[in-house]
């Protein structure tokens, strides 16, 4: 199936599908979610719990990236979340071959929509 998207849209999708990563304060963050100020605030709020900081910062609601117009699209977005998680695992392994990662996927039945989170372990 062919799609016609702008270069800006394709670039945004590329960042979501094969993210760049930032290593900061012993953590790994999705480049498109990272800001030093934001991470520093979470490090202060969750002292010593780097996994929790990564989980909060690297928590992505797919609703924030896609416009849904039907129940069928919602179902497809849940499937897409699982596929993006597989891609993130590959991207993280390539960027940090010496580290392990836990990529979690929630289908959104709790009301937050499909979500993906990345934590180094």
């Amino acid at each position: 199936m062919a799609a016609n998207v702008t270069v800006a849209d394709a670039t945004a999708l590329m960042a979501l599908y094969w993210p760049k990563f930032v290593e900061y304060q012993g953590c790994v963050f999705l480049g498109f979610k990272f800001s030093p100020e934001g991470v520093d605030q979470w490090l202060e709020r969750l002292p010593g719990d780097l996994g929790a900081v990564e989980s909060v910062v690297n928590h992505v609601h797919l609703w924030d990236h896609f416009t849904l117009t039907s129940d069928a699209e919602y179902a497809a977005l849940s499937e897409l979340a699982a596929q993006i998680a597989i891609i993130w695992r590959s991207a993280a392994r390539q960027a940090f071959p010496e580290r392990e990662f836990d990529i979690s996927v929630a289908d959104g039945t709790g009301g937050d929509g499909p979500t993906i989170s990345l934590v180094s372990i």
Side-chain angles (χ1 to χ4, degrees):
M1 179 169 148
N4 225 348
V5 297
T6 67
V7 172
D9 289 341
T11 301
L13 288 171
M14 183 175 64
L16 177 64
Y17 291 138
W18 192 271
K20 293 181 180 177
F21 299 97
V22 175
E23 197 167 13
Y24 181 76
Q25 300 291 337
C27 298
V28 174
F29 298 102
L30 298 164
F32 67 91
K33 295 282 290 184
F34 175 76
S35 84
E37 300 81 14
V39 169
D40 288 342
Q41 289 175 0
W42 281 111
L43 288 168
E44 287 179 25
R45 291 173 85 181
L46 301 167
D49 195 347
L50 300 182
V53 173
E54 285 179 333
S55 181
V56 169
V57 174
N58 292 332
H59 188 88
V60 175
H61 294 266
L62 291 186
W63 282 353
D64 294 339
H65 298 274
F66 297 96
T67 302
L68 305 176
T69 60
S70 69
D71 289 341
E73 285 186 352
Y74 182 87
L77 193 59
S78 292
E79 292 176 25
L80 184 61
Q83 294 302 309
I84 291 172
I86 292 168
I87 296 167
W88 282 10
R89 185 169 283 108
S90 294
R93 282 184 184 152
Q94 182 179 349
F96 300 97
E98 73 288 351
R99 295 181 88 152
E100 295 290 326
F101 294 89
D102 178 37
I103 292 106
S104 62
V105 178
D107 65 5
T109 55
D112 290 333
T115 59
I116 311 167
S117 186
L118 178 140
V119 177
S120 60
I121 50 176

